[in-house]
Amino acid sequence: MRDQNLLHEIQPEDGNEPLLSLRGISKYFGGLKAVDNVSLTIENGELRCLIGPNGAGKSTIFRLITGYYRQDSGDVIYKAKEISRLQPFQRARLGLSIKFQTPMVYQDLTVRHNMWIPMQRIYKREAIATEIDKYLKLLGLLEVGEQFVKNISHGQRQWLEIGMALSVKPDLLLLDEPTAGMSLEETQKTAQIVKDLNRDGMAIIVIDHDMEFVRTLNSKITVLHLGKWFAEGNLAEIESNEEVRSIYLGKK
Amino acid sequence: MKSKNIFSTLASRLNGPQSIGHSPVFWTIFIIFIVLLFCFPLLFSEYEVVNLTYFFSNLFLAMGLSLIWGCSDILSFGQMAFFGLGGYAYGIIGINLIGAVSNTNLAFLGGILIPMAFAAILGYFLFYGRVSGVYVTIITLVSTLVFETFMAQTAGPQWAIGKALLGGYNGMTNIPSIQLQIFGLNKIFDGIPLYYFVLILLIAVYFFLRYLVNSKYGNSLVATGSNTLRTEMLGYDIRLIQVIAFAIAGALAGLSGVIYVAWGHYITPSTMGLTTAALPVIWVAVGGRKSILATIISAVVLQYFAQYLSVTGSEYAFVILGALLMFVVMYVPQGVIPPIANYLNKIGKKRSVGEPVCHEEGERT
C-alpha cells in the first residue's frame, strides 16, 4: 500500500488537470511532524473522505489548503495554480470554502445575520433575504432565523456553518467533522445533502470519525496516520485492509 | 422592499442590525431632539452654548471609537493621539496661512487628513502584521504617550514651524477660529455660529456612520470583529477592512481635535495624557459601545457630569468616572443605553414588512 504514495508523486501531468493537488506537503510544529510528505489529488466534482485516528494530521491538511498555515515544504496546486503564497481570503475567493471542526459562527449575531455575511459578497442586497430563506429551509433552520447564535443548539450551529460555507457556492468544499454532535437522523440528512451537492458537481472533502457516515457517503477514502499518507481506496478496500484496522484498534 | 421610491431606499440603508432605533416613534423623538438642539442658543445663555459646543467637539472622536471598538472589537487608546495630531496640524497650518489667505480651509482639511493618514499607517502595521486584541490596545496607548512626551519637550524657539511655536508643555496659542471660504462666502465660526457648525457636522457624521455600519462594508466589519478567522475564510480581506475603519476613526478624532483647538484657540500636550486617553473609552463603554447613538448620549451626559463634579469642588471626578467604568464593565458590559432601548423597543414593537429580513431585527445590541 505504501508504494502507492510514490506512484502519486511521479504521476505524469495529463491534459485533465485535477482541481486540487497536494504534492509532498509537510508541516512541522517544532519537532512534531503534523503532516509529513503527503500527496493528495482531488478531481473536479470528486467526493473524498479523509479518515485517520486522532493526530493523523487531517485538520492540519485542511488548514494548509485554506492557507491558515503555510506548509514547510511541498506544493498546494488548486485550479492549476500554485496557491501557497495566497492569503486565506484570496483562496476563498477562488472558490474554496470550509466548515471548521468546532462551529465557527458569529455567536453574537442572529442566524440570518450569520448567513447574510457570506452572501452579501456574491448576491445583490435585494436578493439576499430570499436566498437566505432557501438555505435555512434546506437546513431546517427557518424557525430559529431570528435567534442569536449563542441561543441555538450545537447541532444547529453545525448546520448553520455548513450553510454559510455552502452559500458562497464553492468549487471545493472542506467539511471538518460535519456530523460531530449530531443525532443519527441529522447525520443521515447531512449525508444526503453532501451527496446531493456532489451530484450537482461540487467537489467535497470530508473529514469524519463516524464510520457509519463515511460508509453512507460511499466515496473514495484516504487514510492518514501520524501525519503520513497511509492508504487509499474505496470503502471495501479500506475496510478489508488489515493495516488500517490495526491502526484504528491501536495495534502495532 | 415594498415601495421603490428613493426615500424608503435611503431610509432602509440607514437601518439595520447595527443600529438601535428605527421605528417611527424613534424618528419622531429623534427629530424633536434635533429641533430642540437647534433652538438651544435661543433658550440658554451664550456660556451654555459655548460649553455645549465643547462637549460636542469630543463626540466625533467618541463616534469613531464606537465604530472600531463597538463594531470591530478594536479597543484603541490612540484616539487622543489622533485628536492631538489633528489639533496641532490645524494650529500649525492655520497660524501660518491665516494672514495670507484669511481662511482656514487648508488647516481644516489638514487637521482631518493628517491624523487619518497616520491612523492608516499605524493601522497598516498593526493589522497587516496581524496584531490583535490587547496588543492593539497597548500599542495605541504607547503611541499616545510617545506623542505626548514628544510634544512636551518642544519648548523653546527652535521648535517652531513657520510662525507657529509648538510651545512644549505651555502649548500652542493663538490658534485661529475656523474660517471657511466656500463658493465665495467667507465665514468665521465662533461662539453661536460655531455651535451650529458643529451641530450640523455632528448630524451629518452620525448619518454617515449609521449608513456605513449597516452597509455591506459595515457588515463585514462587524463580522471581522465577531470572528476574524471565519470572516477571512469567507473571502474577506480582514486586514484592509480593519485599516479602513481605523483610518476613519482617526479622521474623526482629528476632526474633534480641530474643533477643540478652534474653539479654545490653544492646545497643550496634556490633551494626550493618560487620563484624557482613558476618557473616551469610558464614554463609549458606559453608553454602549455597539451603538453610535448610545455613545453620543453617554459622552454628553458624562461630560456634563464630570464638569458638574469639578465645578462643585469635588476633586474626585476622575475617581467617580473610573468607578462608573468598573461598575459598567462588571454588571452591564453591553453598556447602559442598549438595555433601555431594548426595553423601549419591546413596548412599542412594530415590525416593518418587506424590509430585508436580516435587517428586521433592529435591536442587536
Side-chain angles (χ1 to χ4, degrees):
Chain A
M1 271 291 191
R2 233 155 236 279
D3 296 338
Q4 276 191 6
N5 199 6
L6 286 173
L7 285 178
H8 248 291
E9 282 182 55
I10 55 166
Q11 202 175 42
E13 300 262 343
D14 52 16
N16 224 347
E17 282 283 353
L19 179 64
L20 173 80
S21 137
L22 307 180
R23 293 192 188 156
I25 56 166
S26 300
K27 178 70 190 173
Y28 310 121
F29 296 109
L32 177 76
K33 289 179 176 178
V35 173
D36 188 5
N37 194 24
V38 169
S39 295
L40 189 69
T41 302
I42 306 292
E43 301 296 334
N44 281 296
E46 186 180 345
L47 174 61
R48 177 75 63 98
C49 286
L50 216 52
I51 64 169
N54 284 328
K58 308 179 297 289
S59 290
T60 309
I61 285 185
F62 271 15
R63 294 185 158 199
L64 290 169
I65 297 172
T66 54
Y68 182 83
Y69 294 145
R70 200 163 285 179
Q71 70 273 22
D72 292 313
S73 63
D75 295 319
V76 180
I77 292 146
Y78 176 71
K79 292 186 177 172
K81 210 170 139 187
E82 157 63 3
I83 59 167
S84 295
R85 299 197 66 80
L86 295 187
Q87 292 285 332
F89 78 91
Q90 291 167 316
R91 300 188 194 196
R93 286 181 188 177
L94 288 174
L96 262 171
S97 194
I98 181 168
K99 181 229 153 287
F100 291 91
Q101 188 173 1
T102 45
M104 274 275 189
V105 284
Y106 302 114
Q107 298 283 353
D108 43 358
L109 307 184
T110 64
V111 169
R112 274 181 184 283
H113 199 179
N114 265 268
M115 290 297 294
W116 187 283
I117 306 291
M119 289 179 127
Q120 68 166 4
R121 203 166 62 74
I122 52 169
Y123 291 100
K124 281 210 168 76
R125 192 182 170 97
E126 292 72 25
I128 300 174
T130 43
E131 286 296 325
I132 290 177
D133 276 342
K134 276 189 212 162
Y135 281 96
L136 292 187
K137 204 169 183 181
L138 173 77
L139 301 167
L141 293 172
L142 216 45
E143 290 95 72
V144 294
E146 306 297 332
Q147 297 274 331
F148 287 98
V149 167
K150 57 186 171 217
N151 298 331
I152 66 175
S153 75
H154 181 79
Q156 286 172 321
R157 273 178 227 166
Q158 293 273 58
W159 285 113
L160 175 61
E161 203 192 359
I162 293 173
M164 287 165 76
L166 268 183
S167 64
V168 292
K169 295 201 189 306
D171 298 311
L172 176 60
L173 178 65
L174 308 175
L175 297 173
D176 197 344
E177 299 199 17
T179 65
M182 281 188 180
S183 68
L184 186 64
E185 198 184 330
E186 288 171 325
T187 302
Q188 283 167 351
K189 193 176 163 190
T190 308
Q192 195 53 50
I193 290 173
V194 170
K195 283 205 260 187
D196 287 348
L197 289 168
N198 180 243
R199 195 175 308 124
D200 294 342
M202 194 183 287
I204 304 170
I205 310 179
V206 182
I207 292 176
D208 217 296
H209 280 296
D210 183 350
M211 274 316 284
E212 201 51 53
F213 178 65
V214 172
R215 218 164 272 141
T216 321
L217 293 182
N218 194 19
S219 71
K220 193 171 170 184
I221 296 167
T222 300
V223 186
L224 296 171
H225 183 47
L226 298 173
K228 290 192 174 71
W229 185 97
F230 193 81
E232 200 162 282
N234 62 32
L235 186 66
E237 285 165 2
I238 294 298
E239 282 194 315
S240 60
N241 185 319
E242 282 301 323
E243 279 183 303
V244 172
R245 290 165 73 154
S246 73
I247 61 164
Y248 264 97
L249 296 170
K251 284 184 208 150
K252 274 278 164 187
Chain B
M1 254 160 277
K2 225 175 191 176
S3 54
K4 284 274 176 194
N5 66 59
I6 296 167
F7 187 76
S8 77
T9 310
L10 263 180
S12 85
R13 286 293 156 97
L14 289 173
N15 290 331
Q18 269 78 252
S19 294
I20 49 172
H22 56 253
S23 61
V25 180
F26 167 82
W27 286 114
T28 313
I29 296 171
F30 186 85
I31 288 164
I32 291 170
F33 225 83
I34 297 289
V35 170
L36 283 177
L37 285 176
F38 271 98
C39 297
F40 192 84
L42 308 174
L43 306 170
F44 293 89
S45 69
E46 182 158 352
Y47 167 78
E48 289 291 342
V49 175
V50 170
N51 198 26
L52 191 59
T53 310
Y54 166 66
F55 294 157
F56 280 0
S57 75
N58 284 316
L59 295 183
F60 302 97
L61 178 145
M63 285 193 282
L65 184 60
S66 171
L67 177 75
I68 54 173
W69 189 23
C71 280
S72 200
D73 236 15
I74 303 165
L75 172 53
S76 164
F77 274 91
Q79 301 317 102
M80 285 320 275
F82 302 131
F83 175 96
L85 199 56
Y88 274 103
Y90 173 85
I92 292 164
I93 303 171
I95 290 170
N96 279 300
L97 291 185
I98 188 81
V101 296
S102 54
N103 68 52
T104 61
N105 288 7
L106 206 61
F108 189 77
L109 276 180
I112 298 166
L113 295 180
I114 290 171
M116 185 176 182
F118 259 81
I121 293 167
L122 181 61
Y124 173 82
F125 285 113
L126 287 174
F127 302 118
Y128 278 71
R130 305 219 174 239
V131 176
S132 63
V134 71
Y135 299 101
V136 173
T137 310
I138 293 168
I139 292 169
T140 50
L141 177 61
V142 169
S143 309
T144 304
L145 298 182
V146 165
F147 191 47
E148 184 208 6
T149 313
F150 176 79
M151 292 316 293
Q153 52 87 48
T154 57
Q158 73 274 28
W159 289 101
I161 298 172
K163 293 179 205 160
L165 275 171
L166 297 183
Y169 241 109
N170 294 321
M172 188 160 61
T173 51
N174 293 324
I175 298 171
S177 298
I178 293 172
Q179 185 175 357
L180 294 182
Q181 183 155 17
I182 333 165
F183 310 124
L185 288 167
N186 192 314
K187 173 90 184 137
I188 298 177
F189 294 96
D190 219 343
I192 290 171
L194 181 65
Y195 170 81
Y196 281 117
F197 178 72
V198 174
L199 181 60
I200 289 166
L201 264 181
L202 198 58
I203 296 166
V205 170
Y206 171 72
F207 277 107
F208 165 71
L209 287 180
R210 199 170 159 145
Y211 164 76
L212 188 76
V213 295
N214 291 307
S215 70
K216 184 174 171 180
Y217 170 76
N219 274 312
S220 58
L221 182 66
V222 169
T224 305
S226 177
N227 192 330
T228 42
L229 182 59
R230 178 74 271 173
T231 309
E232 185 159 29
M233 296 298 178
L234 289 173
Y236 290 100
D237 188 353
I238 55 164
R239 307 166 304 173
L240 184 64
I241 288 169
Q242 292 181 103
V243 169
I244 291 172
F246 201 67
I248 293 173
L252 290 175
L255 176 59
S256 273
V258 167
I259 295 166
Y260 170 74
V261 296
W263 173 86
H265 306 294
Y266 86 111
I267 183 167
T268 75
S270 63
T271 50
M272 297 167 286
L274 197 54
T275 18
T276 39
L279 275 179
V281 175
I282 298 178
W283 301 333
V284 175
V286 170
R289 63 192 170 104
K290 298 205 170 180
S291 160
I292 292 164
L293 195 60
T295 294
I296 292 176
I297 296 167
S298 119
V300 172
V301 170
L302 287 180
Q303 287 185 90
Y304 260 116
F305 182 59
Q307 194 181 55
Y308 169 78
L309 285 177
S310 39
V311 166
T312 53
S314 165
E315 290 160 29
Y316 305 112
F318 279 119
V319 178
I320 293 169
L321 281 182
L324 188 63
L325 177 68
M326 281 170 66
F327 173 81
V328 167
V329 167
M330 285 166 73
Y331 297 104
V332 249
Q334 76 273 42
V336 174
I337 293 168
I340 301 172
N342 270 352
Y343 180 70
L344 293 178
N345 264 348
K346 264 179 203 145
I347 296 174
K349 183 137 187 160
K350 189 167 173 268
R351 283 226 166 165
S352 49
V353 185
E355 287 245 322
V357 193
C358 165
H359 286 197
E360 250 177 47
E361 205 71 7
E363 60 266 30
R364 193 186 90 86
T365 52

